[in-house]
Amino acid sequence: MKKLYTCLALFVCLGIGGCKHDDWFDRDSKSMITDDQLWNDPKLLTSLLANYYNRLPTLHGVFNTGGMSELDDAMWSGHRDQNWRNDFQFGDDYGRYWDYGLIRDINLSLENVETLSIKLTEVTKKQYLAELRFIRALVYFEMVKRMGGVPLVTTQLIYDFSGDPTPLQVPRAKEHEVYDFIYQEMEAIKEDLAGNSTSKTRANKYTVLALESRAMLYAASLAKYNGLMTEPIVTAGGEVGIPAAMANDYYRKSLAASKELMSGPYRLFNENPDKGANFYEMLNKKTGSEVIFAKDFAVGLKTHRFTYDNIVKSLTEDNESSSTISPSLSLVESFDYLDGRKGTLQDRDANGNYITYTGIDDIFKNKDARLYGTVVYPGSSFRNSGVSIQAGVATWQNGTYQLSTAPELGQQLGNQLGQVNAGGLWTGFDGPKDDAQDVSNTGFYIRKFVSDAPAASARGTSAANWWPWFRLGEIYLNAAEATFELGQIGDATQYINTLRERAGFPANSISTLTMNIIRNERRVELAFEDHRFFDLKRWRLAHTVWNGAENDSNAVVRGLYGYRVVRPGHVDHGKFIYARMKPSRFRKARFFRLANYYSSIEQRVLDNNPKIVRNPLQ
């Protein structure tokens, strides 16, 4: 048979004019990539990195419509088959992330770049190694902030078939050791990424500093606030629980990274004099001076359907698109008034009577401009089109207002309610409507991250706006928190006032800064950006905010419905009143247990590695 193949090959060679090259039989495969090709070709290495970047995890981020509706900032108003999001408790595995498959892939790549990338320049080689180490550190950060200390594996674990698996059974590191590893890795690589200095989608020095800023702040607050609990959540070996004495050092590291980053090339976006529109545009790729690191999308190449899922109902470009996220009244009231008043909306007076407003949006006037940039509320607009948000009408009967909604969205009022020739809109095309599907159930729609590009809500096109992993607004907040905790109140106040001034507040609007103000600023500035869940965890406040109480404004999502007054001949005729309500589709108060501060480790992992210690209360 060997001779047959040789003769056949010779015949083919002769048939095409003879084999004129000694390497004819050594041509590169068209179906396989060799090690030499992969580890020495910058294009192939960049493609490999793209795969790893794409696998970076989030919990409620990267346009995760469902996840965004699981806390207190919003509820689910989409298809009823997912209404469990309004009727669940945080399970032991909520937020679990344990991805050693990705860690192994990165470790393999690190070792191969180190040993096989012999044709790359030393500068290029260092850059690829640094990017891989950044991705690995970010993966470890995503694991430690959910799981506590995890095994630190930095080389390939290869089974030797000896029958002894113990060399592969790596125990969990102490929680602080994982944070220390992240910091040390970032310090080691931050000067090796000059080739990416202008990129917003690949790691560079400033992306490294952003991770330092965030991760060190998490470590610091965990050390401080876990230690302040009546019964701190710890394990005997330190896999969970960072000593309180370590807090200030982590705060200082976070602050140093934040300061260096704030002196870099990024600027708080503040170009549109309309402060509300400015905050919305801040995340636009065309105006991305504030975005440090993002996950990008492109029409025709890679898109997402967040706009399709969340466009205001009357503005959809697709008959089947939905309006899934209904922001909560609690979130809306977190945005203060520009004159210094707290953000509580005034729907009743001191005697319990409805307060009337001339315009349906007057109740929101003079609010923190970030509200407009985050939420679509009654009387506002989107894509230069006014929205039709009106729950119904209020008619005066027997000495009180009776509130009614139309059977159909967009229906006009005739004589149905005994008001002769009343006319006008009964219920808006955009609702809100209680117990409805694909329309707001709370009276609000999400604006943040909903693209205003043409056809972004159509399935055939979809949206291509980017997701910000890190932006400068967060860094200001990180710096404010770290300086406050270190006793540098003046600097902390300046950082907070800078952000508030961008949102329309007068200069120096905060004179006496508190931690509660900083926490509220994080809620309104970073709403829907995958921070709130982890912020409340690291401050050890989640179990008090999501306490399972049916009368709690954060544990239970509530809405605010606006009604047009139909009372001919009265001074209030044609004005608007508002009523607070609890959406029928929201059926169970959020309940966060102490056990939820650390996600449970999967039983399969425990079975395979007896050195793995369970998390507390699991």
Side-chain angles (χ1 to χ4, degrees), residues 541-581:
L541 291 175
H543 68 290
T544 63
V545 173
W546 301 316
N547 56 21
E550 291 294 336
N551 60 350
D552 190 279
S553 60
N554 283 310
V556 174
V557 169
R558 287 183 168 80
L560 188 73
Y561 282 14
Y563 296 85
R564 181 172 59 89
V565 174
V566 177
R567 195 176 178 184
H570 191 272
V571 66
D572 289 340
H573 180 64
K575 293 183 178 181
F576 297 88
I577 62 174
Y578 277 90
R580 295 169 182 266
M581 53 81 68

Side-chain angles (χ1 to χ4, degrees), residues 361-383:
D361 61 339
D362 284 352
I363 194 172
F364 307 102
K365 290 287 180 64
N366 205 36
K367 271 265 195 178
D368 181 335
R370 289 172 291 191
L371 174 63
Y372 177 91
T374 305
V375 172
V376 178
Y377 51 80
S380 61
S381 61
F382 189 74
R383 289 180 177 166

Side-chain angles (χ1 to χ4, degrees), residues 10-319:
L10 180 61
F11 173 79
V12 172
C13 284
L14 293 172
I16 60 174
C19 295
K20 298 181 180 180
H21 302 285
D22 293 339
D23 62 350
W24 192 87
F25 289 107
D26 297 322
R27 288 185 178 181
D28 291 336
S29 169
K30 296 183 181 297
S31 60
M32 291 190 303
I33 298 174
T34 66
D35 277 347
D36 182 65
Q37 289 172 318
L38 173 59
W39 304 111
N40 290 284
D41 186 332
K43 290 184 178 179
L44 292 177
L45 280 172
T46 300
S47 179
L48 181 68
L49 280 171
N51 174 272
Y52 295 161
Y53 279 121
N54 193 53
R55 290 161 66 183
L56 287 174
T58 61
L59 182 58
H60 302 138
V62 191
F63 306 112
N64 183 350
T65 291
M68 290 182 189
S69 66
E70 291 177 359
L71 303 180
D72 55 355
D73 285 346
M75 63 169 284
W76 177 268
S77 294
H79 197 282
R80 292 185 186 278
D81 64 2
Q82 293 192 53
N83 204 65
W84 58 266
R85 299 183 189 278
N86 296 323
D87 189 20
F88 85 108
Q89 293 183 1
F90 298 103
D92 287 351
D93 61 346
Y94 193 84
R96 177 192 287 162
Y97 180 64
W98 190 276
D99 192 353
Y100 281 90
L102 180 52
I103 292 295
R104 180 192 179 279
D105 290 347
I106 296 170
N107 287 339
L108 171 65
S109 296
L110 281 165
E111 293 175 21
N112 285 338
V113 169
E114 191 70 66
T115 58
L116 300 177
S117 298
I118 56 177
K119 298 178 184 178
L120 299 180
T121 67
E122 199 59 31
V123 171
T124 301
K125 187 173 178 178
K126 279 187 175 181
Q127 176 179 305
Y128 283 119
L129 289 170
E131 280 191 84
L132 287 165
R133 290 170 74 178
F134 169 80
I135 295 170
R136 183 176 64 181
L138 186 51
V139 171
Y140 271 117
F141 176 56
E142 288 294 328
M143 285 202 281
V144 71
K145 72 181 185 180
R146 305 160 192 244
M147 314 300 300
V150 294
L152 280 173
V153 180
T154 58
T155 59
Q156 290 189 75
L157 298 179
I158 301 174
Y159 182 51
D160 61 5
F161 296 96
S162 66
D164 179 15
T166 54
L168 308 179
Q169 296 171 345
V170 181
R172 295 175 66 182
K174 292 178 172 61
E175 188 170 14
H176 76 82
E177 289 175 341
V178 182
Y179 283 102
D180 292 343
F181 170 78
I182 293 167
Y183 179 76
Q184 292 157 7
E185 285 286 281
M186 296 304 94
E187 285 293 291
I189 67 171
K190 66 182 181 182
E191 301 301 338
D192 294 340
L193 292 160
N196 293 343
S197 60
T198 61
S199 177
K200 291 181 182 290
T201 57
R202 293 176 66 177
N204 58 33
K205 176 180 178 178
Y206 302 104
T207 311
V208 165
L209 290 170
L211 178 54
E212 276 190 17
S213 170
R214 185 187 295 179
M216 294 304 99
L217 185 68
Y218 275 46
S221 49
L222 286 167
K224 176 175 180 176
Y225 290 102
N226 191 60
L228 293 177
M229 295 185 74
T230 304
E231 295 185 15
I233 303 173
V234 298
T235 56
E239 297 87 359
V240 165
I242 301 176
M246 301 180 74
N248 281 356
D249 183 54
Y250 285 128
Y251 281 127
R252 283 189 286 267
K253 287 174 178 175
S254 174
L255 180 58
S258 297
K259 283 185 172 180
E260 188 174 355
L261 187 45
M262 289 188 292
S263 65
Y266 307 95
R267 297 291 178 268
L268 291 176
F269 181 74
N270 200 17
E271 298 179 15
N272 191 331
D274 182 330
K275 298 299 186 182
N278 183 80
F279 190 72
Y280 173 75
E281 294 167 2
M282 172 263 299
L283 293 173
N284 190 313
K285 277 188 275 192
K286 295 179 182 178
T287 56
S289 63
E290 181 165 334
V291 174
I292 300 166
F293 181 54
K295 183 168 185 176
D296 204 1
F297 296 83
V299 173
L301 181 63
K302 181 180 182 180
T303 57
H304 61 83
R305 293 176 67 172
F306 189 78
T307 302
Y308 171 87
D309 287 337
N310 293 293
I311 189 74
V312 175
K313 187 170 183 64
S314 65
L315 302 181
T316 180
E317 298 155 297
D318 192 304
N319 288 334

Side-chain angles (χ1 to χ4, degrees), residues 562-613:
Y563 296 85
R564 181 172 59 89
V565 174
V566 177
R567 195 176 178 184
H570 191 272
V571 66
D572 289 340
H573 180 64
K575 293 183 178 181
F576 297 88
I577 62 174
Y578 277 90
R580 295 169 182 266
M581 53 81 68
K582 177 185 174 183
S584 299
R585 290 188 65 178
F586 193 90
R587 296 197 295 263
K588 184 179 291 185
R590 305 295 192 215
F591 183 43
F592 188 99
R593 297 167 293 114
L594 294 178
N596 298 130
Y597 278 111
Y598 293 93
S599 301
S600 63
I601 299 171
E602 190 177 2
Q603 187 60 46
R604 175 183 58 83
V605 173
L606 297 171
D607 292 341
N608 290 339
N609 186 354
K611 296 178 183 177
I612 297 294
V613 177

